[in-house]
Amino acid sequence: MLRRIEMWLLDLAVAAVIALGLLITVTVVLRVTMNSGVPDTIVMVRELMVAAVLLPAAATTANRAHIVVEVISNKLPVPVQNALVVFGSVFGLIALAPLIYAGLREMTHTFASGAYFFGDLELPKWPGRVLFLLGIVVCWVRLLVLVAGDIARLRRGETLIENADGAGG
């Protein structure tokens, strides 16, 4: 179920990137040809960027595809490397918790106040706030699942890292 949600969020992020490209292209073409533009382009681009950046976070986490620097950690013993993997995931859980709290507060405030962006279209603020919270929460849940699975694997005596010869993991 979590994998399907992650893939759905990834598809939404792809749609957001396509929409960004189209919006920017149309705006540039209108500026060059008609000295006009799409109203509230900056607001729409800013909100679409939230979707493009945060919605794929859970899928990235599930695939352990975050940017890592392993210059020093690869030289450590395998048990230490395993502990660092779990530590990194736990640290991620702790680091995302305040973002979830702040995102929840901001989203509820935006819903309650009916806030919108000032501009020609008076776009509501809540969609971007909901997408932010959704992306962070699903990423947090995925990290929690990874931590639980990694700890269970370590208790069974398995390793979490790939060795130089391709074994492990």
mmCIF file of all heavy atoms in Angstrom, residues 4-21:
data_model
loop_
_atom_site.group_PDB
_atom_site.id
_atom_site.type_symbol
_atom_site.label_atom_id
_atom_site.label_comp_id
_atom_site.label_asym_id
_atom_site.label_seq_id
_atom_site.Cartn_x
_atom_site.Cartn_y
_atom_site.Cartn_z
ATOM 1 N N ARG A 4 2.360 1.957 -3.370
ATOM 2 C CA ARG A 4 1.409 2.551 -4.314
ATOM 3 C C ARG A 4 1.231 4.045 -4.061
ATOM 4 O O ARG A 4 1.154 4.840 -4.996
ATOM 5 C CB ARG A 4 0.055 1.851 -4.229
ATOM 6 C CG ARG A 4 0.014 0.557 -5.006
ATOM 7 C CD ARG A 4 -1.363 0.041 -5.097
ATOM 8 N NE ARG A 4 -1.780 -0.346 -3.742
ATOM 9 C CZ ARG A 4 -2.804 -1.099 -3.466
ATOM 10 N NH1 ARG A 4 -3.569 -1.542 -4.418
ATOM 11 N NH2 ARG A 4 -3.096 -1.413 -2.222
ATOM 12 N N ILE A 5 1.186 4.439 -2.798
ATOM 13 C CA ILE A 5 1.084 5.859 -2.455
ATOM 14 C C ILE A 5 2.322 6.600 -2.939
ATOM 15 O O ILE A 5 2.221 7.687 -3.521
ATOM 16 C CB ILE A 5 0.880 6.042 -0.936
ATOM 17 C CG1 ILE A 5 -0.485 5.504 -0.519
ATOM 18 C CG2 ILE A 5 1.026 7.506 -0.530
ATOM 19 C CD1 ILE A 5 -0.687 5.421 0.978
ATOM 20 N N GLU A 6 3.496 6.005 -2.718
ATOM 21 C CA GLU A 6 4.741 6.627 -3.170
ATOM 22 C C GLU A 6 4.757 6.800 -4.680
ATOM 23 O O GLU A 6 5.177 7.843 -5.190
ATOM 24 C CB GLU A 6 5.940 5.792 -2.722
ATOM 25 C CG GLU A 6 6.169 5.807 -1.238
ATOM 26 C CD GLU A 6 7.102 4.710 -0.755
ATOM 27 O OE1 GLU A 6 7.526 3.860 -1.582
ATOM 28 O OE2 GLU A 6 7.407 4.719 0.433
ATOM 29 N N MET A 7 4.300 5.796 -5.398
ATOM 30 C CA MET A 7 4.285 5.883 -6.862
ATOM 31 C C MET A 7 3.263 6.921 -7.334
ATOM 32 O O MET A 7 3.505 7.644 -8.308
ATOM 33 C CB MET A 7 3.986 4.511 -7.491
ATOM 34 C CG MET A 7 5.112 3.495 -7.323
ATOM 35 S SD MET A 7 6.673 4.053 -8.040
ATOM 36 C CE MET A 7 7.602 4.452 -6.582
ATOM 37 N N TRP A 8 2.139 7.018 -6.647
ATOM 38 C CA TRP A 8 1.131 8.026 -6.971
ATOM 39 C C TRP A 8 1.704 9.429 -6.753
ATOM 40 O O TRP A 8 1.531 10.318 -7.591
ATOM 41 C CB TRP A 8 -0.118 7.789 -6.122
ATOM 42 C CG TRP A 8 -1.209 8.784 -6.372
ATOM 43 C CD1 TRP A 8 -1.996 8.897 -7.483
ATOM 44 C CD2 TRP A 8 -1.615 9.825 -5.472
ATOM 45 N NE1 TRP A 8 -2.869 9.940 -7.326
ATOM 46 C CE2 TRP A 8 -2.660 10.522 -6.102
ATOM 47 C CE3 TRP A 8 -1.206 10.211 -4.209
ATOM 48 C CZ2 TRP A 8 -3.292 11.600 -5.505
ATOM 49 C CZ3 TRP A 8 -1.856 11.283 -3.614
ATOM 50 C CH2 TRP A 8 -2.873 11.971 -4.257
ATOM 51 N N LEU A 9 2.408 9.612 -5.626
ATOM 52 C CA LEU A 9 3.031 10.908 -5.357
ATOM 53 C C LEU A 9 4.119 11.214 -6.380
ATOM 54 O O LEU A 9 4.282 12.363 -6.802
ATOM 55 C CB LEU A 9 3.602 10.947 -3.938
ATOM 56 C CG LEU A 9 2.581 10.926 -2.807
ATOM 57 C CD1 LEU A 9 3.281 10.891 -1.455
ATOM 58 C CD2 LEU A 9 1.641 12.107 -2.891
ATOM 59 N N LEU A 10 4.858 10.201 -6.780
ATOM 60 C CA LEU A 10 5.877 10.378 -7.814
ATOM 61 C C LEU A 10 5.236 10.799 -9.134
ATOM 62 O O LEU A 10 5.734 11.697 -9.825
ATOM 63 C CB LEU A 10 6.686 9.093 -7.976
ATOM 64 C CG LEU A 10 7.908 9.145 -8.878
ATOM 65 C CD1 LEU A 10 8.912 10.180 -8.387
ATOM 66 C CD2 LEU A 10 8.545 7.771 -8.938
ATOM 67 N N ASP A 11 4.112 10.177 -9.478
ATOM 68 C CA ASP A 11 3.389 10.563 -10.699
ATOM 69 C C ASP A 11 2.891 12.009 -10.612
ATOM 70 O O ASP A 11 2.944 12.748 -11.598
ATOM 71 C CB ASP A 11 2.212 9.618 -10.954
ATOM 72 C CG ASP A 11 2.653 8.227 -11.364
ATOM 73 O OD1 ASP A 11 3.817 8.061 -11.779
ATOM 74 O OD2 ASP A 11 1.830 7.291 -11.253
ATOM 75 N N LEU A 12 2.414 12.403 -9.440
ATOM 76 C CA LEU A 12 1.990 13.793 -9.254
ATOM 77 C C LEU A 12 3.160 14.756 -9.418
ATOM 78 O O LEU A 12 3.015 15.838 -10.002
ATOM 79 C CB LEU A 12 1.357 13.992 -7.877
ATOM 80 C CG LEU A 12 -0.081 13.535 -7.688
ATOM 81 C CD1 LEU A 12 -0.515 13.760 -6.248
ATOM 82 C CD2 LEU A 12 -1.013 14.265 -8.630
ATOM 83 N N ALA A 13 4.322 14.360 -8.917
ATOM 84 C CA ALA A 13 5.516 15.199 -9.055
ATOM 85 C C ALA A 13 5.909 15.334 -10.522
ATOM 86 O O ALA A 13 6.291 16.422 -10.972
ATOM 87 C CB ALA A 13 6.669 14.624 -8.239
ATOM 88 N N VAL A 14 5.810 14.253 -11.267
ATOM 89 C CA VAL A 14 6.110 14.303 -12.706
ATOM 90 C C VAL A 14 5.127 15.243 -13.396
ATOM 91 O O VAL A 14 5.526 16.073 -14.233
ATOM 92 C CB VAL A 14 6.060 12.889 -13.329
ATOM 93 C CG1 VAL A 14 6.083 12.946 -14.842
ATOM 94 C CG2 VAL A 14 7.213 12.046 -12.802
ATOM 95 N N ALA A 15 3.850 15.144 -13.043
ATOM 96 C CA ALA A 15 2.844 16.048 -13.618
ATOM 97 C C ALA A 15 3.159 17.500 -13.259
ATOM 98 O O ALA A 15 2.987 18.407 -14.092
ATOM 99 C CB ALA A 15 1.450 15.663 -13.133
ATOM 100 N N ALA A 16 3.632 17.732 -12.038
ATOM 101 C CA ALA A 16 3.993 19.092 -11.624
ATOM 102 C C ALA A 16 5.165 19.621 -12.442
ATOM 103 O O ALA A 16 5.176 20.787 -12.849
ATOM 104 C CB ALA A 16 4.326 19.121 -10.127
ATOM 105 N N VAL A 17 6.152 18.776 -12.711
ATOM 106 C CA VAL A 17 7.304 19.206 -13.518
ATOM 107 C C VAL A 17 6.863 19.513 -14.949
ATOM 108 O O VAL A 17 7.288 20.516 -15.542
ATOM 109 C CB VAL A 17 8.422 18.138 -13.496
ATOM 110 C CG1 VAL A 17 9.496 18.444 -14.514
ATOM 111 C CG2 VAL A 17 9.009 18.025 -12.102
ATOM 112 N N ILE A 18 5.992 18.686 -15.497
ATOM 113 C CA ILE A 18 5.474 18.944 -16.854
ATOM 114 C C ILE A 18 4.680 20.247 -16.862
ATOM 115 O O ILE A 18 4.834 21.079 -17.769
ATOM 116 C CB ILE A 18 4.628 17.754 -17.346
ATOM 117 C CG1 ILE A 18 5.526 16.536 -17.575
ATOM 118 C CG2 ILE A 18 3.850 18.113 -18.605
ATOM 119 C CD1 ILE A 18 4.778 15.238 -17.804
ATOM 120 N N ALA A 19 3.833 20.444 -15.853
ATOM 121 C CA ALA A 19 3.052 21.682 -15.759
ATOM 122 C C ALA A 19 3.971 22.894 -15.620
ATOM 123 O O ALA A 19 3.714 23.952 -16.224
ATOM 124 C CB ALA A 19 2.087 21.612 -14.584
ATOM 125 N N LEU A 20 5.052 22.748 -14.846
ATOM 126 C CA LEU A 20 6.029 23.836 -14.724
ATOM 127 C C LEU A 20 6.626 24.189 -16.074
ATOM 128 O O LEU A 20 6.717 25.367 -16.444
ATOM 129 C CB LEU A 20 7.156 23.417 -13.776
ATOM 130 C CG LEU A 20 6.955 23.663 -12.302
ATOM 131 C CD1 LEU A 20 7.994 22.899 -11.496
ATOM 132 C CD2 LEU A 20 7.019 25.129 -11.994
ATOM 133 N N GLY A 21 7.036 23.180 -16.807
ATOM 134 C CA GLY A 21 7.623 23.413 -18.122
ATOM 135 C C GLY A 21 6.653 24.092 -19.071
ATOM 136 O O GLY A 21 7.018 25.046 -19.776
#
